[in-house]
Amino acid sequence: MANGHQASGVVAQRLAPEEIAANFSDLHAPLAPHEAAVAADRCYFCYDAPCVTACPTDIDIPMFIRQIQTGHPEAAAKTIFDQNILGGMCARVCPTETLCEQSCVRETAEGNPVEIGRLQRYATDQLMAAEVHPFSRAAATGKTVAVVGAGPAGLSCAHRLAMLGHDVTVFDARPKAGGLNEYGIAAYKSTEDFAAKEVEWLLKIGGITLEAGKSLGAELTLAALQADYDAVFLSIGLAGVNALRLAQEEMPGVLDAVAFIAELRQAEDKGALPVGRNVVVIGGGMTAIDVAVQAKLLGAENVTIAYRRDRAAMPASRFEQDLAASHGVKLMFNVMPTAILGDGAVTGIELEYTRIHDGRVTGTGEKLTLAADQIFKAIGQTLEGVPEGLAIVGGKLAVTGPGRTSLDGVWAGGDCASGGEDLTVTAVAEGRDAAMDIHSTLTSC
Amino acid sequence: MADLTTEFLGIKSPNPFWLASAPPTDKEYNVRRAYEAGWGGVVWKTLGAEGPPVVNVNGPRYGAIYGADRRLLGLNNIELITDRPLQTNLEEITRVKKDYPDRALIVSIMVPCDEESWKAILPMVEATGADGIELNFGCPHGMAERGMGSAVGQVPEYITMVTEWCKQYYSKPVIVKLTPNITDIRRPAQAAFAGNADAVSLINTINSITSVNLDMMSPEPMIDGKGTHGGYCGPAVKPIALNMVAEIARDPVTHGKPISAIGGITTWRDAAEFMVMGAGNVQVCTAAMTYGFRVVQEMISGLSQWMDEKGYTSTADFIGAAVPNVVDWKDLNLNYISKAKIDQDACIKCGRCYAACEDTSHQAIWMKEDRVFEVNDAECVACNLCVDVCPIEGCITMERVAPGQVDLRTGKVVEEEYANWTMHPNNPMAVQAAE
Ligand SMILES: Cc1cc2nc3c(=O)[nH]c(=O)nc-3n(C[C@H](O)[C@H](O)[C@H](O)COP(=O)(O)OP(=O)(O)OC[C@H]3O[C@@H](n4cnc5c(N)ncnc54)[C@H](O)[C@@H]3O)c2cc1C
Ligand SMILES: Cc1cc2nc3c(=O)[nH]c(=O)nc-3n(C[C@H](O)[C@H](O)[C@H](O)COP(=O)(O)O)c2cc1C
Ligand code: SF4
């Protein structure tokens, strides 16, 4: 018997296995062929299409949609992969409501954009289901590149370099490749082990050696990599997390949201993950939304997101906010945590109302208390494990142009590098562009 | 609600919507249900001569062309005339006509092109009590190979000859159904009226191959690896039918003669367009085959609403109203000058007008910063392509340049007076006439 929503404390197996399975199924169901045809027919094939401009990887969206229209979804997928080798994952995780679909002229016209994300998934699914890899490698150049971090930035960079004929070694601290695709993205966005399957499919290009369990700063040093390889690409993401800086932050029940999600993503049996009856999430980004929704899906009774600014300032898009609300998550704005309550285990949290003064958050003095047996910190990740000698700007590796760091022969991209939003698709674009720059550097003498 | 009662050749029906001769009218069961659904009349599926009936293929007989969301835009068929015994059809026609005296019932006929055959069938049809006959000179496949259908409709002399026989051996109205598979529709129409036809109906289907199966290398519909050309109908053929109706309506020889219009009529608006173009009533096939008999209700309510809005009290009020405005190209006013204008508030910035004009027309649209699209009056020739490709209705309009103003493209002042090609200095004939 499942324990149910009302079981007090932090408990596992709140819901029956069938409920868990249903809760963590696809957020957006894949399109059936006729649905895809209807959706594709809505595209106007715009001139210099705004959606392409809005896509960080510049996928030729009108063209791939037209290829779906004319009955060639695999060719459509090729058009997508030409620009974005992780087009399958991006189709699932991109906040299209703030990217391509936001700029779709039908959004302007009717408030109802062409379903670009779902069409992209339709095309890429078809090609990937055929289990063929659509690219082949150019003649070997004899050059070698080390990529550190096997997240979307690293994988995208490695694939492009391998395609251009270079030999690539990808190192990652974790046992599995994929980065946050594997450990971070919400479980209902990447179902059926898609992240792992995508990595396997990507590696079919050949020329990429994966070295898991190797950390820069432990097994690896930048100096050694520079000595052993012709170029180095750093894509180590943001491995650290911000702290609340409150007393009792170490108390059981106060958790780092990213770590919890990683555990959930790796769990054989999601129901086995203990979740509170009363859950409070501190933060306002995608991570806050994801942890809140997933806590709900695991059977938490009350889940509240406490964000210190107003709704308009919330980094999570309106779509994400509504997604959380539709799952029964309560969104609170203009509140900040001031104390963690409990003795040995969390029992509640004290929040203070805020107002914004010159862009700064200040407390109003008015407070409230929420019951909580689990508190998730989702207030941002930080760069960690940066080797000596690399310039830093705004807490990230300083890069110019296509990912050039302050050191010759060292490039960086993705979340760890300056510039661009922290999104999967941005990481893919930066990895690809750095690869092109590495290629031209290595092949021009 | 306007009264839609329409009299055509003295035959009264509660509305001008008839079902064309085709599968929807192939038997008593269908026709009774069509009348119950509201159809004003039917033209019974074409009857052949007495004796063993024709046989149809046993594989697929239709091919299709689709628009968005698999909307059927064009249908093509290789069906023949009725494959049921003549006597069965005649008995059914007699019964149905008796039960529905207020609805029109026309019998379509196709028999070999000799006097004996027509002389034999006409009295039998007359005995049913039906209101008239329609001569099927249009079927472009199968029957044409046997010297009937469009094989007759393509030879004006045959049309006159057979029509004369019918007028001789049959006392009620004779409608001649024309094939569009000819060069000039006016010739067969003239021939029909020369034979004293009471009316012409058009169009029958257009010779066509809808698609090719690229695996089997065969036209569709494919039967055992082979296909044949069939007759095309449905929304896609409407513009062709509309032009042919207009040609007959404005031809001095046939002007004012009764026409029953057919071809792609799907909505009340299509029907109204054919009627203002000179048709006394309309016939429908594909729309009924696509959506069922119920569609007639939309046609009825739509046409009467439009009539109410326009103040028409009878269909006779507007039949032929647009015919005087169908002219030759040479009669169009060359001093009427307009320019495309883009409503910036309505524009959704898709850039389709730009691609169309820049790549394929007159480079008359500017793409400015922030995807602002504007017409350059100095280049616009008013071709209308931008209007046609714009996905937003009413966003781009054609605005007349008022007489007295300068046309920025030519630098000339727009003249008030009407002037056409026959008067234009570039026309060698005009120069000659002036001399
Ligand atoms: C919970 C959560 C949900 C998200 N949801 C979305 C979403 O829905 N849509 C979206 O577009 N984006 C989302 N993002 C953001 C997105 O996941 C990241 O922007 C993206 O993964 C960045 O890619 P990356 O390759 O730069 O870094 P990561 O994906 O973080 O990959 C970095 C890799 O480097 C490895 N690494 C780190 N340090 C070292 C070291 N010292 N030595 C060796 N290897 C190291 C890590 O193990 C990891 O595999 C989400 C992020 C989080 C945290
Ligand atoms: C399957 C099919 C069979 C037809 N059979 C006949 C026929 O027996 N006699 C005839 O005069 N026209 C026949 N037609 C032509 C229709 O009566 C009509 O002229 C043509 O379909 C155009 O009208 P629409 O666009 O409304 O379908 C047939 C059409 C179809 C689709
Ligand atoms: S009317 Fe023709 S020439 Fe004028 S702007 Fe439109 S497409 Fe260009």
Side-chain angles (χ1 to χ4, degrees):
Chain A
M1 262 295 284
N3 290 315
H5 301 286
Q6 278 102 25
S8 51
V10 180
V11 301
Q13 313 293 6
R14 286 186 179 273
L15 304 179
E18 315 82 71
E19 279 178 279
I20 293 282
N23 282 355
F24 286 92
S25 63
D26 261 312
L27 175 61
H28 301 290
L31 292 170
H34 179 71
E35 284 180 291
V38 174
D41 265 324
R42 295 187 67 235
C43 174
Y44 286 147
F45 203 74
C46 293
Y47 179 80
D48 188 15
C51 54
V52 180
T53 313
C55 172
T57 55
D58 296 299
I59 292 173
D60 190 343
I61 295 163
M63 186 58 73
F64 95 68
I65 293 180
R66 199 168 172 80
Q67 288 170 308
I68 293 176
Q69 275 170 10
T70 59
H72 281 165
E74 307 83 3
K78 178 73 165 40
T79 302
I80 294 161
F81 292 135
D82 277 338
Q83 290 297 106
N84 179 337
I85 195 65
L86 296 183
M89 182 58 84
C90 287
R92 290 162 166 79
V93 309
C94 273
T96 52
E97 68 277 7
T98 61
L99 299 169
C100 51
E101 292 179 17
Q102 183 181 50
S103 63
C104 174
V105 300
R106 297 200 78 150
E107 170 66 27
T108 317
E110 310 148 43
N112 185 16
V114 174
E115 289 185 281
I116 300 170
R118 290 178 86 198
L119 285 165
Q120 177 167 326
R121 170 156 179 200
Y122 177 76
T124 51
D125 276 359
Q126 308 271 321
L127 192 147
M128 289 173 78
E131 301 207 353
V132 288
H133 190 84
F135 299 97
S136 53
R137 298 185 67 196
T141 59
K143 304 283 183 188
T144 60
V145 182
V147 170
V148 187
L155 290 170
S156 156
C157 181
H159 184 273
R160 183 54 65 104
L161 287 168
M163 199 167 96
L164 294 168
H166 310 291
D167 286 323
V168 188
T169 307
V170 181
F171 300 96
D172 200 290
R174 301 248 202 187
K176 288 194 203 167
L180 289 172
N181 285 359
E182 176 62 40
Y183 293 96
I185 294 296
Y188 46 80
K189 291 185 187 168
S190 169
T191 58
E192 292 170 9
D193 215 11
F194 181 77
K197 287 180 190 159
E198 187 179 44
V199 170
E200 194 184 322
W201 171 85
L202 178 145
L203 293 177
K204 284 190 180 150
I205 181 88
I208 304 175
T209 311
L210 206 61
E211 301 245 8
K214 295 222 169 121
S215 249
L216 185 64
E219 292 84 358
L220 312 168
T221 65
L222 183 57
L225 291 175
Q226 283 180 286
D228 294 348
Y229 294 87
D230 298 307
V232 179
F233 178 70
L234 299 177
S235 45
I236 54 175
L238 301 171
V241 285
N242 287 322
L244 292 171
R245 300 202 194 99
L246 290 178
Q248 308 222 73
E249 196 165 337
E250 306 307 321
M251 188 153 53
V254 182
L255 301 177
D256 161 23
V258 178
F260 180 82
I261 292 171
E263 216 181 314
L264 181 68
R265 283 292 308 276
Q266 298 306 309
E268 281 286 325
D269 168 15
K270 292 191 172 58
L273 220 68
V275 68
R277 176 181 180 179
N278 297 307
V279 175
V280 174
V281 178
I282 309 297
M286 232 175 215
T287 306
I289 299 281
D290 284 2
V291 79
V293 171
Q294 291 177 111
K296 259 291 181 190
L297 298 178
L298 287 171
E301 186 186 9
N302 301 304
V303 179
T304 308
I305 293 180
Y307 177 55
R308 61 198 188 126
R309 295 173 187 269
D310 65 6
R311 187 192 276 280
M314 198 177 206
S317 68
R318 185 63 196 233
F319 171 84
E320 302 264 346
Q321 295 172 22
D322 291 349
L323 178 75
S326 75
H327 282 89
V329 172
K330 182 178 177 195
L331 300 170
M332 287 187 76
F333 300 99
N334 286 108
V335 285
M336 63 179 184
T338 44
I340 292 166
L341 311 176
D343 187 6
V346 174
T347 57
I349 187 163
E350 184 192 76
L351 304 170
E352 182 178 357
Y353 283 100
T354 67
R355 75 166 71 87
I356 312 298
H357 258 304
D358 298 333
R360 296 184 69 89
V361 178
T362 53
T364 63
E366 188 188 349
K367 294 189 175 171
L368 78 152
T369 303
L370 292 181
D373 29 44
Q374 211 170 28
I375 295 172
F376 288 111
K377 296 183 281 180
I379 52 172
Q381 289 98 258
T382 54
L383 184 58
E384 245 182 34
V386 180
E388 297 279 298
L390 285 163
I392 304 284
V393 55
K396 296 202 170 193
L397 291 172
V399 294
T400 51
R404 295 177 191 171
T405 68
S406 55
L407 286 182
D408 260 2
V410 181
W411 281 257
D415 285 359
C416 69
S418 62
E421 280 189 272
D422 286 352
L423 293 175
T424 308
V425 65
T426 313
V428 173
E430 291 172 3
R432 177 200 69 194
D433 295 345
M436 297 308 295
D437 196 48
I438 293 171
H439 173 69
S440 57
T441 307
L442 296 187
T443 51
S444 69
C445 30
Chain B
M1 232 180 99
D3 179 11
L4 298 184
T5 305
T6 301
E7 209 173 302
F8 187 71
L9 311 180
I11 306 161
K12 222 180 204 169
S13 40
N15 61 56
F17 307 112
W18 291 7
L19 280 170
S21 173
T25 64
D26 197 14
K27 54 173 107 69
E28 180 174 358
Y29 176 79
N30 291 9
V31 174
R32 282 183 187 275
R33 291 184 63 242
Y35 284 152
E36 291 303 325
W39 290 91
V42 306
V43 182
W44 202 275
K45 172 77 179 171
T46 306
L47 308 184
E50 196 152 29
V54 302
V55 294
N56 269 300
V57 292
N58 298 300
R61 52 180 92 160
Y62 302 124
I65 295 291
Y66 295 109
D69 202 3
R70 251 178 107 83
R71 179 181 282 257
L72 190 70
L73 295 183
L75 187 71
N76 141 303
N77 84 89
I78 55 168
E79 177 176 288
L80 303 183
I81 59 176
T82 184
D83 53 13
R84 303 182 327 131
L86 178 63
Q87 279 314 321
T88 310
N89 276 308
L90 293 172
E91 283 161 22
E92 291 182 1
I93 291 167
T94 311
R95 273 201 299 273
V96 173
K97 182 62 218 180
K98 200 157 137 272
D99 288 353
Y100 292 91
D102 66 323
R103 309 299 171 99
L105 204 173
I106 306 294
V107 179
S108 170
I109 309 174
M110 180 198 288
V111 292
C113 207
D114 57 68
E115 192 168 352
E116 283 316 300
S117 301
W118 289 92
K119 197 173 164 183
I121 196 169
L122 288 168
M124 291 190 259
V125 172
E126 180 110 43
T128 62
D131 301 302
I133 57 172
E134 185 180 77
L135 315 186
N136 179 347
F137 294 158
C139 182
H141 47 265
M143 303 311 291
E145 294 170 14
R146 304 172 202 178
M148 291 179 263
S150 65
V152 178
Q154 287 166 337
V155 185
E157 294 76 10
Y158 290 176
I159 295 176
T160 307
M161 177 177 77
V162 178
T163 310
E164 279 169 348
W165 293 335
C166 291
K167 288 304 288 181
Q168 188 180 343
Y169 300 116
Y170 182 73
S171 70
K172 289 184 180 172
V174 175
I175 305 169
V176 174
K177 184 166 178 178
L178 304 179
T179 174
N181 300 301
I182 40 83
T183 338
D184 182 350
I185 196 67
R186 292 173 300 182
R187 304 281 167 258
Q190 289 162 2
F193 290 116
N196 287 322
D198 295 281
V200 290
S201 58
L202 71 159
I203 58 173
N204 206 309
T205 55
I206 303 174
N207 249 328
S208 58
I209 291 177
T210 41
S211 59
V212 179
N213 184 316
L214 290 178
D215 297 318
M216 302 298 289
M217 291 298 168
S218 156
E220 299 277 14
M222 177 175 69
I223 295 172
D224 195 19
K226 306 267 188 254
T228 185
H229 63 86
Y232 199 41
C233 52
V237 310
K238 176 192 149 189
I240 297 166
L242 204 47
N243 173 56
M244 289 186 164
V245 166
E247 285 298 290
I248 295 170
R250 74 189 188 97
D251 177 10
V253 184
T254 50
H255 177 73
K257 298 278 191 195
I259 302 172
S260 182
I262 319 167
I265 294 159
T266 312
T267 66
W268 71 267
R269 179 181 292 274
D270 297 329
E273 290 177 15
F274 275 100
M275 291 173 78
V276 298
M277 212 52 117
N281 72 1
V282 297
Q283 298 183 31
V284 174
C285 169
T286 306
M289 291 181 71
T290 311
Y291 303 108
F293 290 143
R294 235 157 46 87
V295 276
V296 74
Q297 289 302 332
E298 175 279 322
M299 299 182 187
I300 291 169
S301 81
L303 190 67
S304 50
Q305 181 181 328
W306 173 74
M307 285 171 61
D308 287 344
E309 283 164 9
K310 295 286 177 191
Y312 298 124
T313 53
S314 149
T315 52
D317 290 354
F318 59 83
I319 288 169
V323 177
N325 293 328
V326 187
V327 297
D328 286 347
W329 192 98
K330 66 172 165 47
D331 298 321
L332 297 172
N333 184 3
L334 295 175
N335 281 345
Y336 182 90
I337 293 167
S338 54
K339 301 283 174 191
K341 189 156 186 292
I342 301 173
D343 176 349
Q344 295 301 332
D345 292 332
C347 177
I348 60 169
K349 307 192 184 303
C350 67
R352 280 169 65 159
C353 59
Y354 176 80
C357 192
E358 185 69 15
D359 290 0
T360 71
S361 295
H362 299 85
Q363 297 76 46
I365 295 181
W366 284 304
M367 179 172 174
K368 297 189 169 167
E369 205 166 336
D370 291 331
R371 301 183 68 81
V372 171
F373 297 95
E374 276 173 23
V375 175
N376 176 0
D377 285 354
E379 297 295 339
C380 177
V381 301
C383 73
N384 207 45
L385 183 64
C386 53
V387 175
D388 295 330
V389 302
C390 176
I392 303 298
E393 199 178 336
C395 173
I396 311 183
T397 46
M398 282 297 165
E399 304 291 331
R400 184 177 188 180
V401 181
Q405 294 203 292
V406 175
D407 174 359
L408 293 178
R409 188 173 68 86
T410 57
K412 291 193 184 133
V413 173
V414 176
E415 288 173 42
E416 177 91 58
E417 303 73 43
Y418 164 94
N420 66 36
W421 173 242
T422 62
M423 315 161 180
H424 198 279
N426 287 15
N427 178 354
M429 309 300 198
V431 176
Q432 264 172 24
E435 274 164 3

